[in-house]
């Protein structure tokens, strides 16, 4: 048996197409163009690439893309002042500060300074509380994208056992909440979990978001399970040449694909859905800020 590969790139393209159509409807009906502001501190190469891709896809979706760059040694106060300026700018509907930020800045303080209605990363404690309470709010982009892939793959999720390996605020906790909302029975595992392998083997849906390269082995996967690998780990790849690296997930992909019914690859699985869901959140935030029913946009 060999599992079906869940194509995150194709799903992200389809989602961005729907977002563009809804954005055009927002413009034609209400004369409003969503604006997404991204703030980058320093010049981390990976962040530079990510921000550039965000800008390209934001414009392709028909939205305004605003970028603000601060030096590596900028003070935390200067960054927080910039965030406050964007909070008060009505042309800005979504605010994203690219993480990681330099060590002299508090990531949590930055998150809490962004208005919850403009928090398109879905990390503000208010939005986390809404999600935990089953209320509408901004949902973190990566778990939102993972949940959409699971729904697209399996359809009805009610009654399925989902095991989430990882308990971060960014992925583990929110994906657990999203799957609970779909009436799954959810188990969250972490570094202190006993019998981790046995717990994973009980999963109909196995989500790996722990940041340990290829932790989940072939014999940890229940036959016929759906495996969602959120991990992105860069390893040395001497077989490719001196100094070369490769990306791997938290799952031993080559082994797990023999057992699972479907699985996301790394790269090309959950990753492409993250920016698409950022654009979706920006569109949702724009509607909420202007008292427009999202359903009116034909999404």
């Amino acid at each position: 048996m060999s599992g079906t590969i869940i194509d995150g790139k194709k799903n992200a393209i389809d989602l961005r197409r729907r977002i563009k159509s809804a954005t055009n409807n927002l413009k034609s009906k209400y004369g409003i163009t969503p604006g997404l502001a991204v703030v980058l501190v320093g010049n981390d190469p990976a962040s530079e690439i990510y921000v550039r891709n965000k800008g390209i896809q934001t414009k392709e979706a028909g939205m305004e893309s605003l970028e603000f760059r601060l030096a590596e040694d900028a003070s935390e106060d200067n960054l927080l002042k910039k965030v406050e300026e964007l909070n008060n700018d009505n042309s800005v509907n979504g605010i994203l500060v690219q993480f990681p930020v330099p060590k002299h800045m508090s990531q949590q303080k930055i998150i809490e300074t962004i208005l919850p209605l403009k928090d398109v990363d879905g990390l503000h404690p208010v939005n986390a509380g809404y999600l935990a309470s089953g209320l509408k709010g901004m949902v973190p982009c990566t778990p939102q994208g993972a949940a959409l892939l699971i729904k697209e793959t399996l359809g009805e999720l009610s009654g399925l056992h989902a095991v989430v390996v990882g308990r971060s605020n960014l992925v583990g906790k929110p994906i657990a909440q999203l799957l609970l909302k779909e009436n799954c029975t959810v188990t969250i595992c972490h570094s202190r979990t006993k019998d981790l392998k046995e717990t994973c083997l009980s999963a109909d849906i196995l989500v790996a978001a722990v940041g340990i390269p290829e932790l989940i082995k072939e014999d940890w996967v229940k036959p016929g399970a759906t495996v969602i690998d959120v991990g992105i780990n860069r390893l040395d790849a001497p077989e490719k040449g001196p100094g070369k690296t490769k990306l791997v997930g938290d799952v031993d992909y080559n082994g797990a694909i023999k057992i699972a019914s479907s699985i996301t690859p790394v790269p090309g699985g959950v990753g492409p859905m993250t920016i698409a869901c950022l654009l979706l959140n920006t569109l949702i935030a724009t509607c909420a800020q202007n008292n427009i029913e999202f359903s009116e946009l034909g999404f």
Side-chain angles (χ1 to χ4, degrees), residues 83-127:
V83 171
E84 290 287 11
E85 286 176 17
L86 298 172
N87 281 340
N88 294 318
D89 186 340
N90 291 334
S91 69
V92 173
N93 305 106
I95 301 170
L96 184 147
V97 177
Q98 182 66 39
F99 295 131
V101 289
K103 292 180 180 179
H104 65 278
M105 296 181 176
S106 165
Q107 180 170 311
Q108 190 59 35
K109 187 181 290 187
I110 295 162
I111 289 168
E112 293 179 11
T113 301
I114 298 171
L115 282 177
L117 263 179
K118 295 189 177 187
D119 167 39
V120 286
D121 245 349
L123 298 178
H124 194 286
V126 168
N127 285 318

Side-chain angles (χ1 to χ4, degrees), residues 218-230:
E218 175 182 343
D219 60 352
W220 292 32
V221 178
K222 176 181 176 180
T226 294
V227 178
I228 305 296
D229 192 349
V230 186

Side-chain angles (χ1 to χ4, degrees), residues 155-193:
E156 177 59 51
L157 306 183
S158 183
L160 297 180
H161 183 207
V163 172
V164 179
V165 185
R167 54 176 169 176
S168 71
N169 292 333
L170 184 63
V171 179
K173 291 176 184 175
I175 188 65
Q177 295 292 346
L178 290 169
L179 292 171
L180 277 172
K181 192 174 180 180
E182 295 293 336
N183 298 314
C184 291
T185 299
V186 180
T187 301
I188 301 179
C189 299
H190 46 77
S191 59
R192 304 291 179 88
T193 299

Side-chain angles (χ1 to χ4, degrees), residues 47-67:
S47 293
E48 290 269 5
I49 293 169
Y50 197 49
V51 167
R52 183 165 65 249
N53 288 339
K54 284 176 184 174
I56 292 169
Q57 293 187 30
T58 301
K59 292 172 184 175
E60 287 178 349
M63 301 181 184
E64 292 289 341
S65 175
L66 306 167
E67 291 183 13

